[in-house]
Amino acid sequence: MNANLQSALFYTMSTIAQTLSGAMGLLGAIVLFALQETSRSIEKAAKKLTEIPHQSMSPLYLRHLLTRRSFHELARHYGELLQPGGSSETSTEALVHYSTLTWELDHDHALRRSFWTALLASGAVIALSLIFCGLSPQLAANARVGQVVLGVGTLGAVSCLVLYGFLLRVMLRSTPQEPIPPAEAPSVR
């Protein structure tokens, strides 16, 4: 048995498990605050949208959707109204608040999906690291298997770090991805 390989396996796998656990705990707290802020932004955009009178939508129904926090349904109804032929009147203010609401809903969905992906990947790598840590004496008995396990564990940890980067990128994105066409860009003088 290779004692150096056994030590390397044990310490590397235990470090990977500890590091990813700590990072996920910290990221979880940060994402929780980001989700709370996104939730407030969604509610604010929905309230502003429902404050705009529209003859084809009942104010009572709009209040009901707002009370139930049915923001996706609210966005769907306004989206139908803003489609060509959906309504004879289209308010610029309604269009602005509708686009804000839909962007916030999409951002919330992307943030949740990215966090869930990072959480699942971290859980899998942490579980494998703990298993490999416990099996380090058996894995060190065969140098080739031990080295492969070290590579797999390290690759898994690096993959989780990349997923954390994607999660932070999604979380910190504060404007829609669509660039402003040059003709519509505001001029600066």
Side-chain angles (χ1 to χ4, degrees), residues 13-35:
M13 293 304 148
S14 64
T15 301
I16 287 172
Q18 291 171 14
T19 303
L20 293 182
S21 297
M24 255 340 273
L26 179 63
L27 279 174
I30 293 169
V31 169
L32 177 65
F33 287 118
L35 286 172

Side-chain angles (χ1 to χ4, degrees), residues 69-138:
R69 300 179 59 84
S70 299
F71 303 127
H72 289 281
E73 190 173 344
L74 183 67
R76 185 178 56 81
H77 282 298
Y78 272 95
E80 290 170 358
L81 291 176
L82 295 172
Q83 293 295 322
S87 174
S88 59
E89 61 182 59
T90 301
S91 162
T92 305
E93 191 178 1
L95 188 58
V96 167
H97 293 306
Y98 168 75
S99 65
T100 301
L101 176 62
T102 55
W103 187 86
E104 291 288 350
L105 288 170
D106 290 343
H107 183 256
D108 181 71
H109 175 72
L111 182 59
R112 289 174 189 273
R113 187 182 64 231
S114 183
F115 179 65
W116 187 244
T117 301
L119 187 66
L120 288 176
S122 295
V125 172
I126 290 168
L128 284 175
S129 294
L130 292 174
I131 291 168
F132 291 154
C133 189
L135 295 175
S136 59
Q138 290 83 5

Side-chain angles (χ1 to χ4, degrees), residues 38-59:
T38 302
S39 178
R40 283 192 289 271
S41 296
I42 288 170
E43 189 169 358
K44 181 180 173 184
K47 280 182 184 177
K48 289 202 179 267
L49 186 61
T50 58
E51 290 171 359
I52 300 169
H54 201 281
Q55 60 181 329
S56 65
M57 300 208 40
S58 163

